[in-house]
Amino acid sequence: MSDLSQALSLALELVVTLDPQMLGIVRLSVLVSGSAVLLAALIGLPLGAVLALSAFPGRGALVVMLNAFMGLPPVVVGLGVYLLLSRAGPLGEAGLLFTPAAMVVAQTLLVLPIVAALSRQVVADLWEEYGEQLRSLGVSGLGRMATLLWDGRFSLLTAVLAGFGRAAAEVGAVMIVGGNIKGVTRTMTTTIALETSKGDLALALGLGLILIALVTGVNAAVFLVGQWARRRMG
Amino acid sequence: MKRLLLAVLAVFSLAAAPAGAEDRFITLASTTSTEQSGLFGHLLPLFKAETGIEVRVVAVGTGQALKLGERGDADALLVHDRAGEDKFVAEGFGLDRRDVMYNDFVVVGPSADPAGVKGGKDAAEAFKKIAAAKAPFASRGDDSGTHRSELRLWKKAGVDVKAGGEWYRELGSGMGPTLNTAAGMNAYALADRGTWASFKNRQSLAIVVEGDRALFNPYGSILVNPEKHKAVKAADSKAWHLWLSGPKGQAAIAAFKIGGEQLFFGDAR
Amino acid sequence: MRAPDTILPLELERVGFAVGGRPLLDDITLRLEAGVRTIILGPNGAGKSLLLRLCHGLLAPSDGSVRWHGAMAGEPVRRRQAMVFQRPVLLRRSAVANVRYVLALGGVPWRRRGALAMEALERFGLAALAQRPARVLSGGEQQRLALARAWAAGPDVLFLDEPTSALDPAAALSVEMAVQEFHASGTKIVMTTHDLGQARRLADEVVFLSRGRLVELAPAVEFFKGPASPQARAFLAGELVC
């Protein structure tokens, strides 16, 4: 148990003293996972709505694929993105390997299936309720998507949060495409992996606690906002 | 299609560009053992102060580091597997391999020492005893420089670990995780002295064999051949290569100590 | 070419609707004229709501045809009808925003939407609730908001499917008054109801359905005085008919 209490006090110390190196790592983690989730939402929300509302050949296969890809191993995504962005790969000339941008690409791919699959579910459920009314009003396809996405905003926020949780917690993809370069691509999870491999379990666990606190904080904030808004909007 | 993807990527890089991303830097593929010993934390600021070039270290096993060099994803390498390095240069992927420094491997084991090898000076002999006692042994199993050295030692000891048995455990992880596991299951392991010196979770592990010539662990610096990949930063990586193998780099290596102990010894000629 | 002043009359010719080979509506031919309040009556399961949805175009008939003013179809016809459901589906935004939504759909320029929306809310006594989220209004208020929304669309025809069955008497009365407003402004009313008292108060003509068939189509006065069919007589007498 001494490891655990040591970890707790280390985590506290890092937070209280606002250790600049730790702040940089936390900032990068939030920036990378946040951008990835933002981009995944920009693509995934409309994609989910399209899948929920329109029929086209191959739609069923796409839905099954999205659902399956929710559990995609981060390492596999990382490896795929690495091969794409490697200087010997097809997109090597962009020069993004071992940069935060590469990590954003990988995490976006990781989060996209979650956001798209969950928002498809949310929109499909809403359509059950709204379908007749919207058809009665003569709302067009695009208008239906926009209306349902907006009216499902509180549930969709949960989908986006699930994506953020996955992005912030994964280590496999960012390790491969970011390279865990100190001060450049070192995130909370790769630092934890590194400190663990150095046998500094207390520091690793301390950082883990900070990560958990961060993700919990974001979730709590969104939960409270959602509660308040739900009560207000019915 | 590719143009479109590149355009999308440009947006990504804007979205995630850290402040001052246009800094001058090279990418160095090196080993977990050097990174985890803390050596780079000591060397790189000195080099940057002198040249303005930032060195970004991607720390992986030697096998993967060579692979990164092959694909042009690194500008220079600092690795420790002489045979692999020579092959890398011979195949035209690398240029100008130089000896830079060495440290040594140590055999670590549980204080109970079930194979009775403590205090020995002959690594191969110790390996033979470990195999005979079927005492648990934790192998990196990740095609790293350390792993390749370990396999050479088994060969020298005349033990076929492929046929091995329950006692020989291939972990497929880096040096640190391997030591963590060895500590957890009271196993013997081969470790580089640098990682061992800075490793904190030793539990009952201690050095059992050291000082054998066969445990010599030389590191080489190699430039990635810019003719294979246009994007390789030839000039800046050459500056690093020359600095490291020159008097200033060699002095810096000698000055790096943990707990008063020198971990790496410059041997550039 | 100028659009005609009304999409009415609505003509159904030999309309049938079947699900999985089972006919739910069969061989229905009728003509609904402008200016007349049509109430659709009939026992449970007679197909009242179904008929309303076929008229409104939410469902396509399996047999026969539904025709507006000769042959008008598509978007222009859709825009000139509105429907109020038993349970109104309001958007998760303020009452006034719900009305503005419909105005935007109808292509009303942005600047004019605010005034028109408030005007519609005022007409149905909702002006004070304009900024309230629609979903937290009471049942009666929600139904009136659905009517205000329909009003904003300015339809030629308003379909209402049991609009008061989930409401208490006071709220039901306010909905009835709203329906009268529509009628007075020249909107054709087509409505289903369970409530015979309501039917007597509102109907100009009655469409009586039983077991998916059109049994009677008669002026309200005649229907309530002496229905021609035995099913309708039994229905008015409160007997179980099916």
Side-chain angles (χ1 to χ4, degrees):
Chain A
M1 276 302 93
S2 74
D3 267 348
L4 200 57
S5 59
Q6 208 185 331
L8 263 173
S9 67
L10 249 173
L12 258 176
E13 189 188 316
L14 285 175
V15 171
V16 171
T17 59
L18 291 177
D19 182 82
Q21 205 176 333
M22 184 212 64
L23 283 183
I25 289 171
V26 171
R27 187 177 149 272
L28 182 69
S29 285
V30 170
L31 206 72
V32 165
S33 298
S35 318
V37 167
L38 196 75
L39 288 164
L42 282 178
I43 306 165
L45 293 177
L47 179 62
V50 166
L51 286 176
L53 296 181
S54 49
F56 52 88
R59 175 175 162 277
L62 203 56
V63 170
V64 169
M65 226 168 71
L66 270 187
N67 285 332
F69 280 8
M70 288 209 282
L72 216 55
V75 187
V76 174
V77 173
L79 199 55
V81 173
Y82 165 73
L83 289 174
L84 277 178
L85 297 184
S86 164
R87 280 179 189 160
L91 301 176
E93 58 200 271
L96 289 187
L97 191 66
F98 303 140
T99 66
M103 304 198 285
V104 173
V105 172
Q107 290 201 338
T108 302
L109 292 178
L110 210 53
V111 170
L112 181 59
I114 296 186
V115 175
L118 292 182
S119 53
R120 186 201 70 80
Q121 194 59 53
V122 167
V123 172
D125 289 349
L126 270 184
W127 178 248
E128 289 282 305
E129 186 190 349
Y130 285 51
E132 273 202 326
Q133 179 70 68
L134 294 186
R135 288 201 296 130
S136 165
L137 291 173
V139 183
S140 67
L142 221 57
R144 289 174 191 179
M145 276 169 49
T147 304
L148 293 180
L149 283 175
W150 179 244
D151 266 44
R153 54 197 180 275
F154 305 128
S155 312
L156 291 172
L157 208 54
T158 312
V160 171
L161 262 193
F164 179 75
R166 177 156 158 94
E170 74 89 19
V171 62
V174 283
M175 185 67 102
I176 295 179
V177 303
N180 190 23
I181 299 170
K182 188 176 176 185
V184 181
T185 55
R186 187 162 290 176
T187 64
M188 302 199 69
T189 53
T190 60
T191 309
I192 292 169
L194 178 68
E195 293 307 329
T196 304
S197 63
K198 280 157 89 172
D200 199 340
L201 304 189
L203 181 56
L205 197 54
L207 284 165
L209 291 175
I210 295 175
L211 177 63
I212 292 169
L214 191 80
V215 172
T216 309
V218 170
N219 273 280
V222 172
F223 177 78
L224 289 176
V225 169
Q227 283 287 87
W228 172 80
R230 243 180 253 265
R231 216 173 305 128
R232 241 182 62 81
M233 295 307 263
Chain B
M1 183 64 193
K2 185 175 161 186
R3 206 172 273 246
L4 178 74
L5 281 173
L6 283 171
V8 170
L9 287 178
V11 174
F12 271 88
S13 50
L14 280 181
E22 287 312 304
D23 287 347
R24 193 170 161 206
F25 70 90
I26 61 166
T27 304
L28 174 70
S30 188
T31 66
T32 48
S33 44
T34 37
E35 161 88 348
Q36 289 175 15
S37 69
L39 176 67
F40 288 125
H42 172 70
L43 291 183
L44 302 186
L46 294 174
F47 178 65
K48 174 150 193 199
E50 201 175 313
T51 60
I53 301 169
E54 180 188 347
V55 179
R56 297 185 174 176
V57 178
V58 177
V60 289
T62 290
Q64 200 187 335
L66 291 170
K67 195 80 201 164
L68 286 175
E70 247 182 70
R71 299 184 59 92
D73 292 328
D75 303 305
L77 309 182
L78 181 63
V79 291
H80 60 139
D81 173 45
R82 190 58 202 258
E85 292 163 34
D86 289 343
K87 185 161 163 275
F88 183 77
V89 174
E91 285 172 352
F93 294 113
L95 301 174
D96 192 25
R97 187 218 170 266
R98 293 186 183 207
D99 288 328
V100 168
M101 62 186 190
Y102 66 90
N103 70 349
D104 62 342
F105 292 115
V106 292
V107 181
V108 299
S111 52
D113 194 21
V117 296
K118 193 177 259 173
K121 289 278 171 235
D122 185 336
E125 191 59 35
F127 271 36
K128 225 180 263 176
K129 285 187 189 162
I130 291 168
K134 295 196 184 318
F137 185 94
S139 165
R140 291 277 294 271
D142 64 348
D143 194 33
S144 59
T146 306
H147 183 220
R148 291 176 182 185
S149 295
E150 178 211 310
L151 291 179
R152 277 195 288 275
L153 281 171
W154 287 117
K155 203 168 169 193
K156 197 174 164 212
V159 176
D160 180 13
V161 287
K162 282 272 180 299
E166 176 91 32
W167 61 275
Y168 184 77
R169 290 162 192 180
E170 280 191 62
L171 301 179
S173 3
M175 194 68 258
T178 300
L179 286 174
N180 276 329
T181 309
M185 59 188 193
N186 286 320
Y188 292 92
L190 184 72
D192 65 280
R193 192 181 289 277
T195 305
W196 172 254
S198 56
F199 184 72
K200 297 197 174 135
N201 182 35
R202 294 182 184 178
Q203 300 184 33
S204 89
L205 290 187
I207 292 178
V208 290
V209 177
E210 61 184 324
D212 185 347
R213 281 295 303 164
L215 292 174
F216 181 63
N217 178 24
Y219 286 81
S221 172
I222 311 176
L223 290 170
V224 173
N225 188 351
E227 276 169 28
K228 290 269 177 184
H229 301 282
K230 286 193 297 285
V232 165
K233 296 170 180 170
D236 285 354
S237 55
K238 186 158 193 185
W240 156 255
H241 185 63
L242 295 180
W243 182 85
L244 190 65
S245 55
K248 285 178 181 159
Q250 294 291 298
I253 290 168
F256 175 61
K257 289 180 177 150
I258 289 181
E261 188 185 358
Q262 183 176 343
L263 289 182
F264 294 93
F265 300 86
D267 65 345
R269 280 162 302 226
Chain C
M1 247 192 12
R2 221 180 118 254
D5 287 314
T6 174
I7 58 171
L8 289 158
L10 171 64
E11 286 174 317
L12 274 66
E13 202 181 323
R14 312 213 58 158
V15 165
F17 185 80
V19 172
R22 213 165 68 85
L24 300 177
L25 282 179
D26 196 21
D27 197 20
I28 294 190
T29 299
L30 55 77
R31 181 182 162 100
L32 298 177
E33 298 283 356
V36 182
R37 289 165 297 179
T38 305
I39 303 292
I40 303 174
L41 289 176
N44 275 333
K48 303 187 294 287
S49 294
L50 215 49
L51 180 59
L52 218 53
R53 282 168 170 74
L54 283 164
C55 291
H56 187 32
L58 289 178
L59 295 172
S62 355
D63 286 308
S65 64
V66 177
R67 280 200 317 273
W68 294 98
H69 192 74
M72 283 178 66
E75 189 78 348
V77 175
R78 158 73 60 203
R79 292 269 182 240
R80 293 168 74 167
Q81 323 168 32
M83 181 152 172
V84 169
F85 296 85
Q86 188 173 356
R87 293 186 180 283
V89 178
L90 299 172
L91 303 177
R92 283 190 174 78
R93 44 188 100 181
S94 70
V96 66
N98 266 274
V99 182
R100 293 179 64 110
Y101 179 85
V102 172
L103 291 169
L105 278 176
V108 174
W110 190 85
R111 299 178 307 281
R112 291 179 50 212
R113 285 179 209 160
L116 283 175
M118 279 315 291
E119 191 264 326
L121 289 178
E122 257 160 40
R123 184 169 292 270
F124 297 98
L126 294 167
L129 304 175
Q131 298 308 327
R132 241 10 133 68
R135 293 273 177 148
V136 302
L137 299 176
S138 74
E141 287 161 353
Q142 291 204 16
Q143 200 57 292
R144 284 197 337 259
L145 178 54
L147 284 156
R149 187 165 66 176
W151 179 272
D156 289 2
V157 187
L158 176 64
F159 296 100
L160 301 106
D161 187 16
E162 311 264 4
T164 61
S165 64
L167 303 180
D168 62 49
L173 192 65
S174 70
V175 170
E176 277 183 33
M177 284 161 60
V179 171
Q180 297 293 30
E181 287 258 344
F182 273 94
H183 175 59
S185 77
T187 299
K188 162 81 179 173
I189 303 292
V190 183
M191 170 170 155
T192 67
T193 181
H194 262 108
D195 181 342
L196 282 177
Q198 188 173 65
R200 281 179 212 272
R201 287 192 291 278
L202 293 179
D204 294 318
E205 73 177 358
V206 171
V207 171
F208 184 77
L209 297 181
S210 175
R211 291 183 151 187
R213 287 179 164 271
L214 175 64
V215 179
E216 266 186 64
L217 171 53
V221 184
E222 284 175 30
F223 180 83
F224 287 114
K225 201 189 294 170
S229 63
Q231 292 101 316
R233 271 199 295 280
F235 177 75
L236 287 180
E239 289 172 31
L240 287 174
V241 232
C242 33

